[in-house]
Amino acid sequence: MDELDALLKTEGDDADEIAQRKGPGARPKSRSERREYEQAKLDFVLKEIVEQEKLEGVEHVPLDNLSIPASASASPVGRPPKDELSILDRKLALAKRTLEQTMDEWDRLGVEKPEPISTTQKGKRRGRKPKPFPDRVKALLEEILSTKAQLSQLESELDGLGTLQRRRKLLRDEARELRKLKQTGEHQGDDVSLIQRDVESTEKDIQSLSHKIKAEEMRLLYGNEPSDEVEVIRYLPPISSGLKAHKELESLINRAQDRLCGVDIRIGDNIFVQVKSSAEAAESECKTVAEIDSVSEEDVLKLKDKIDIQQRYLELLKQKKAIQDEITRLEQELKEGN
């Protein structure tokens, strides 16, 4: 149920997409229909439980009031349910793999409109007409950029513990891909010893994060406030920027953008961006740096004074909040004393 709810929230319902299919065969259930089906199964089981409780004379306990006792020694069993981040991670990985295969096929054939894969004896095309490569790459690039934006938004909303768990998950994915790279021998000139060193370094980082996560979970279990060290991690740069998978994805995006230079692509709702080649993007970045260099010293000093004033204002607000909390505490003590 939790996975279906997360899938519906992230991807939305696909009933209209399924209804538009014209091919033979039975139509699959939409996400909303699967959700209703699972809810009906749950309601049926709950009804049987209530009837059995009445027969045995046992007091009924609502499902919402049931909880698994937290235990420091208990280890979770089985695969955890997918959340929104897991669904988007899988969507991004599939789109990346498909885009890479499409770009390779485009380079191999050297034409924008591929020929039909299968034809009859009379030379007629079998099946649907192949979609042109530029249209395929544009659709996949839009999906990748939109998914990346959704992931960044969700990651920014995580708390300290959630940020630690997210970092550990990304590091585990990185270690798995590195081990796969070493085993398959597709390291393309990279020394095996260097790959092994990266694997060992990543596993050490995973172990360190696991200790921090366990300690933080124990703190929260006993009602303590989150540690300052964990809260600071929320404001660090995202760990994905230094991972091999992230660099490969950025390289693939640049490769696709070079092919679609000047084309408008859609990212999210009603947001259109014109694709620039990697050379144009670098030139634009150089212009931005030149504009920054042309700022006068007087403007920089004014901006610095403004930032100092804002920081001082924030410090005073924190002091005001602390004083108000202290006044509230003293008033409460006076009331209890009377």
Side-chain angles (χ1 to χ4, degrees):
M1 294 293 291
D2 292 338
E3 284 191 14
L4 288 174
D5 289 337
L7 189 61
L8 267 173
K9 183 178 179 181
T10 306
E11 299 289 339
D13 195 12
D14 55 351
D16 294 338
E17 180 183 344
I18 293 175
Q20 292 175 1
R21 296 185 181 181
K22 299 180 181 179
R27 301 291 184 270
K29 288 186 174 67
S30 65
R31 296 186 183 109
S32 57
E33 290 174 339
R34 288 159 54 193
R35 173 69 171 76
E36 292 174 1
Y37 177 72
E38 294 297 331
Q39 183 65 49
K41 286 171 58 178
L42 178 62
D43 294 340
F44 177 77
V45 172
L46 290 177
K47 183 179 178 181
E48 287 191 332
I49 291 175
V50 171
E51 293 177 355
Q52 188 66 26
E53 288 173 340
K54 289 180 180 179
L55 290 176
E56 298 183 5
V58 180
E59 181 182 358
H60 175 67
V61 179
L63 183 64
D64 295 337
N65 295 343
L66 296 176
S67 61
I68 301 175
S71 175
S73 59
S75 299
V77 178
R79 179 182 64 81
K82 292 181 181 177
D83 56 0
E84 294 178 62
L85 287 169
S86 300
I87 293 171
L88 291 174
D89 282 338
R90 175 173 173 77
K91 182 179 178 182
L92 183 63
L94 293 177
K96 174 191 171 185
R97 184 178 65 185
T98 307
L99 178 59
E100 189 171 7
Q101 293 173 351
T102 304
M103 293 295 297
D104 291 342
E105 186 179 2
W106 191 359
D107 292 339
R108 179 174 58 82
L109 296 178
V111 294
E112 293 188 354
K113 296 182 179 180
E115 295 294 329
I117 298 177
S118 179
T119 57
T120 63
Q121 292 181 353
K122 295 181 179 180
K124 293 184 178 180
R125 169 178 51 85
R126 282 196 181 102
R128 291 178 296 178
K129 185 179 180 180
K131 195 174 183 180
F133 286 118
D135 294 344
R136 295 191 212 175
V137 173
K138 178 184 175 182
L140 290 168
L141 191 59
E142 288 177 348
E143 183 177 353
I144 288 174
L145 295 178
S146 176
T147 306
K148 282 186 62 182
Q150 289 179 272
L151 282 170
S152 299
Q153 177 63 30
L154 290 176
E155 288 175 348
S156 66
E157 297 172 359
L158 295 174
D159 57 5
L161 180 59
T163 304
L164 280 177
Q165 293 171 339
R166 178 64 178 166
R167 284 173 167 256
R168 182 176 63 177
K169 192 267 181 188
L170 292 176
L171 285 174
R172 283 175 172 172
D173 292 346
E174 178 79 355
R176 183 183 64 249
E177 293 300 321
L178 288 172
R179 285 193 292 268
K180 186 191 303 183
L181 187 67
K182 178 185 174 184
Q183 292 173 358
T184 56
E186 298 176 355
H187 33 77
Q188 296 179 353
D190 294 338
D191 189 14
V192 177
S193 60
L194 294 178
I195 298 177
Q196 180 62 28
R197 185 192 63 185
D198 292 340
V199 171
E200 294 174 355
S201 175
T202 305
E203 289 177 345
K204 287 181 181 178
D205 293 338
I206 294 172
Q207 187 176 11
S208 175
L209 280 175
S210 297
H211 290 320
K212 290 180 180 179
I213 290 172
K214 188 67 175 178
E216 188 66 15
E217 288 175 342
M218 293 299 296
R219 286 178 60 87
L220 299 178
L221 179 64
Y222 292 104
N224 297 324
E225 293 293 328
S227 62
D228 295 337
E229 181 183 1
V230 172
E231 287 300 307
V232 167
I233 291 177
R234 295 177 55 193
Y235 305 100
L236 294 177
I239 193 172
S240 59
S241 58
L243 300 181
K244 184 180 181 66
H246 175 80
K247 296 176 181 177
E248 291 177 350
L249 179 60
E250 291 300 320
S251 176
L252 182 62
I253 291 174
N254 291 334
R255 181 183 170 192
Q257 288 176 338
D258 288 340
R259 285 298 187 94
L260 298 179
C261 183
V263 178
D264 290 338
I265 62 174
R266 180 170 183 165
I267 305 174
D269 297 331
N270 300 323
I271 301 176
F272 293 88
V273 179
Q274 188 178 54
V275 177
K276 294 182 179 181
S277 65
S278 54
E280 290 176 341
E283 182 180 355
S284 176
E285 185 176 352
C286 291
K287 289 181 179 179
T288 304
V289 173
E291 291 173 358
I292 294 174
D293 291 340
S294 64
V295 176
S296 65
E297 185 177 354
E298 183 179 355
D299 293 336
V300 174
L301 291 176
K302 287 181 181 180
L303 181 61
K304 184 177 182 301
D305 292 339
K306 186 176 181 180
I307 294 174
D308 292 339
I309 292 172
Q310 290 176 346
Q311 290 178 346
R312 179 60 179 161
Y313 178 69
L314 290 175
E315 291 176 1
L316 291 174
L317 284 179
K318 291 179 181 179
Q319 294 176 8
K320 179 182 177 182
K321 178 70 168 54
I323 293 172
Q324 289 175 343
D325 293 342
E326 183 65 18
I327 291 174
T328 304
R329 186 184 65 81
L330 292 174
E331 289 177 347
Q332 187 67 25
E333 290 181 358
L334 287 173
K335 289 180 181 179
E336 293 176 355
N338 294 333

